[in-house]
Amino acid sequence: MQQNTSGIGVRRFVERVAGRPVKTRRANHWQRQCLIYLKGQLLPGARKSMEPMVRRVDDSDYQAMQQFITDSPWDPKELMNNTIEVMIEDASSPEGIISIDDTSFLKQGKQSVGVENQYCGLLGKITGCQVATSAFYVIPSDIRNRDAITWPLGMELYLSKSWIANKVRRRKTGIPHETVFNEKWVLALELLDNACKLKVPHCAVNADAGYGHISRFRLGLRERHEPYVLGVRPSQISVSPARIKILSPKDFPPSGGRPRVRCRLPLNVKSLNAIEIAKRIPTNKWKDIHWTEEDKTLHGFYTMRKVRIIKQGRVPTDEICWLLLEKRDNDELKAYYCWGFKEPSLELFAKISRNRYHIEKGYREMKDELGIDHFEGRSWNGWHHHVVLTQMAYAYLALERSKAETDGNKKPLPTIPEVRREVVKELALKMFNDIFGVNITAEYDKGTKRFIDFIARMA
């Protein structure tokens, strides 16, 4: 991973991203509003919706911000791609992983784009919310898991068939005419295709069971020659050992007038789920692998078997992959389908599977630190503008984090919240200098409480 030694500042980052070709006639005004919005998200405040952000950012205007987010015609996908290109230059690696998942945004009422009663992962139940499919870029760390560098690759709002079919709701929220219904796994493949088009370096894709169980999603990855480690529910899979010979139609005659099937398992072989396979594996065939997560040292027992995916209990498919099994001390069993690796190994599969944790952490940090779920508008345009700017702000924090000094890897990288606090300090010191013409950086660094309290109040 390429790294510099010092931060570039929020303004410089915006200039790098927004200074690339953006289809708007008022480029300078656009960049200024973009900078104001990012500052509003980075500075302290319980709410990151427009009104509170205008109050905390000097020289900002609510009407201008609302027009910039809700009505301005700038293309959010273009800004997202510009952000990705900047991050590729400074924070990417051939060992990167593209992590796929979806997240939900709680919403009251039914007027906001995409809102309806659907499964909300945040609460674990069906309730009124928006759901978006997203991709994150993860560069694993060999030192400690918390030191992984992560940044967003895009987010697509999921619209149900009822939303797509409702012309009135589409018109009120400004959904583009060309928008059609796409399942979440299709949106995930579109995000992956965009990352590949931009040449994001990576070695694998990972996702949870919500995507791992979808055969068409797995097929889409194989057609794109994308190696993957996908979670599956241990009790809900059906596989047989890959070495088992499959019977072809010539090996058995049709019976009872039923149509001849393409192939099937031998009569003395039945398909198994992951729980049944795990029970048959001797204890000495599991490997104990340790890693760190936050400040905790964790471990799991891993093993893998090459398997063939079976449909309907008896019908073999052409899909052959590695089945990775993981057991924890509480006897919880996890399972993953792994495919496409030139040199498959237990350690590699385990490493890729556990780094899916970072996309969930990224969602939490974008909500807690930047207010990605605080948007109060209802329109398609506004939602996408807000979400892309939030991802841009997170990418900036991730870039600053990747450049932090770690004293030769003896100490961990700062967390995203710690990086944001440092950015707030720099913004506050600059505001103090601009207003009073006095540089108090030295006094601040001494830890003088009165300066810290003063700047905290001012910010």
Side-chain angles (χ1 to χ4, degrees):
M1 181 177 59
Q2 303 172 4
Q3 288 191 1
N4 296 323
T5 56
S6 61
I8 61 174
V10 184
R11 182 183 296 277
R12 176 61 182 141
F13 182 74
V14 170
E15 289 173 352
R16 286 184 66 190
V17 174
R20 298 178 181 230
V22 177
K23 295 174 184 177
T24 175
R25 286 186 241 173
R26 304 171 65 196
N28 292 335
H29 172 75
W30 187 89
Q31 286 186 28
R32 180 175 174 276
Q33 290 301 321
C34 187
L35 178 61
I36 288 172
Y37 204 83
L38 260 64
K39 283 184 176 180
Q41 291 183 303
L42 292 168
L43 288 172
R47 291 293 299 173
K48 302 298 175 76
S49 52
M50 283 186 276
E51 271 193 71
M53 288 199 295
V54 166
R55 289 197 295 268
R56 74 175 66 104
V57 180
D58 186 42
D59 200 25
S60 60
D61 177 78
Y62 177 74
Q63 187 174 355
M65 182 179 287
Q66 188 176 47
Q67 194 278 334
F68 171 66
I69 295 297
T70 306
D71 302 320
S72 182
W74 58 272
D75 186 356
K77 290 185 178 180
E78 193 172 4
L79 181 62
M80 190 71 240
N81 287 346
N82 291 351
T83 303
I84 293 171
E85 288 173 351
V86 168
M87 297 303 292
I88 290 172
E89 293 172 5
D90 290 359
S92 65
S93 165
E95 297 182 359
I97 300 166
I98 293 180
S99 193
I100 303 292
D101 203 353
D102 48 65
T103 188
S104 51
F105 306 88
L106 287 172
K107 280 282 187 178
Q108 295 182 351
K110 299 180 180 180
Q111 303 303 314
S112 297
V113 62
V115 170
E116 68 175 0
N117 286 333
Q118 54 192 325
Y119 181 77
C120 174
L122 184 65
L123 299 180
K125 65 179 183 179
I126 294 176
T127 188
C129 64
Q130 296 165 315
V131 174
T133 297
S134 73
F136 250 70
Y137 187 70
V138 180
I139 306 175
S141 169
D142 293 327
I143 307 300
R144 50 185 77 83
N145 203 33
R146 64 169 284 178
D147 284 353
I149 302 299
T150 65
W151 43 271
L153 287 169
M155 186 173 287
E156 294 290 341
L157 182 65
Y158 170 74
L159 295 177
S160 66
K161 291 181 180 179
S162 63
W163 260 96
I164 293 295
N166 194 315
K167 294 181 180 180
V168 175
R169 297 177 95 184
R170 288 183 67 126
R171 185 176 65 253
K172 284 184 176 180
T173 55
I175 298 173
H177 294 293
E178 64 272 16
T179 304
V180 297
F181 172 74
N182 278 317
E183 295 186 58
K184 295 170 190 174
W185 65 269
V186 176
L187 299 176
L189 290 178
E190 289 179 354
L191 289 168
L192 177 62
D193 288 340
N194 188 62
C196 292
K197 180 180 177 181
L198 297 172
K199 299 181 179 179
V200 176
H202 63 283
C203 68
V205 175
N206 68 18
D208 66 8
Y211 293 87
H213 273 285
I214 301 173
S215 60
R216 288 177 291 176
F217 178 66
R218 301 196 304 270
L219 176 61
L221 293 177
R222 294 196 300 277
E223 289 175 341
R224 290 163 172 79
H225 305 287
E226 290 285 350
Y228 59 72
V229 175
L230 305 177
V232 289
R233 300 177 191 91
S235 63
Q236 296 180 16
I237 68 171
S238 180
V239 299
S240 70
R243 67 178 184 275
I244 297 296
K245 179 183 177 181
I246 303 303
L247 299 178
S248 64
K250 66 181 182 180
D251 295 320
F252 50 87
S255 59
R258 294 178 182 175
R260 182 176 291 183
V261 296
R262 183 179 300 175
C263 57
R264 67 173 61 161
L265 290 174
L267 293 177
N268 63 338
V269 176
K270 75 169 190 172
S271 63
L272 301 172
N273 63 34
I275 298 172
E276 294 166 330
I277 292 174
K279 289 179 179 178
R280 298 185 178 194
I281 300 175
T283 303
N284 61 357
K285 297 297 182 181
W286 296 79
K287 185 172 183 178
D288 191 5
I289 297 178
H290 292 249
W291 70 93
T292 62
E293 205 161 278
E294 300 300 336
D295 296 323
K296 300 178 182 178
T297 298
L298 305 177
H299 78 108
F301 297 94
Y302 290 85
T303 190
M304 66 184 195
R305 293 292 185 270
K306 201 168 189 178
V307 299
R308 181 187 297 272
I309 309 300
I310 307 297
K311 293 192 305 182
Q312 301 168 352
R314 299 292 301 172
V315 181
T317 70
D318 295 331
E319 186 177 354
I320 294 177
C321 63
W322 290 96
L323 176 65
L324 174 70
L325 299 176
E326 174 194 354
K327 286 197 303 187
R328 299 287 180 93
D329 289 335
N330 59 3
D331 290 331
E332 178 188 9
L333 180 68
K334 295 184 178 181
Y336 308 85
Y337 286 155
C338 311
W339 178 90
F341 297 87
K342 293 181 179 179
E343 298 180 4
S345 72
L346 200 61
E347 290 77 7
L348 175 62
F349 292 162
K351 177 181 179 181
I352 295 172
S353 69
R354 67 175 177 261
N355 272 284
R356 204 195 69 79
Y357 149 84
H358 291 291
I359 190 170
E360 297 176 350
K361 183 181 178 184
Y363 289 148
R364 186 170 65 251
E365 289 169 338
M366 282 198 290
K367 291 177 179 179
D368 293 346
E369 301 297 320
L370 302 171
I372 195 170
D373 56 341
H374 292 183
F375 182 64
E376 296 175 350
R378 296 175 175 177
S379 71
W380 169 276
N381 210 33
W383 187 90
H384 283 85
H385 285 170
H386 166 76
V387 163
V388 165
L389 287 166
T390 308
Q391 291 176 93
M392 181 178 169
Y394 189 93
Y396 167 69
L397 294 177
L399 185 57
E400 291 296 289
R401 178 174 178 266
S402 72
K403 298 170 182 175
E405 296 291 338
T406 59
D407 192 19
N409 291 324
K410 291 181 181 179
K411 63 180 182 179
L413 285 174
T415 63
I416 287 292
E418 289 170 344
V419 173
R420 190 181 72 84
R421 286 197 291 272
E422 187 64 23
V423 170
V424 168
K425 167 195 163 183
E426 293 173 3
L427 289 173
L429 290 171
K430 186 178 184 305
M431 289 166 62
F432 191 98
N433 189 51
D434 291 345
I435 295 171
F436 299 105
V438 179
N439 189 335
I440 61 169
T441 303
E443 287 80 1
Y444 184 98
D445 290 338
K446 290 177 184 177
T448 308
K449 188 175 186 303
R450 61 192 179 94
F451 283 106
I452 296 175
D453 290 344
F454 178 83
I455 291 173
R457 289 198 305 272
M458 181 180 67

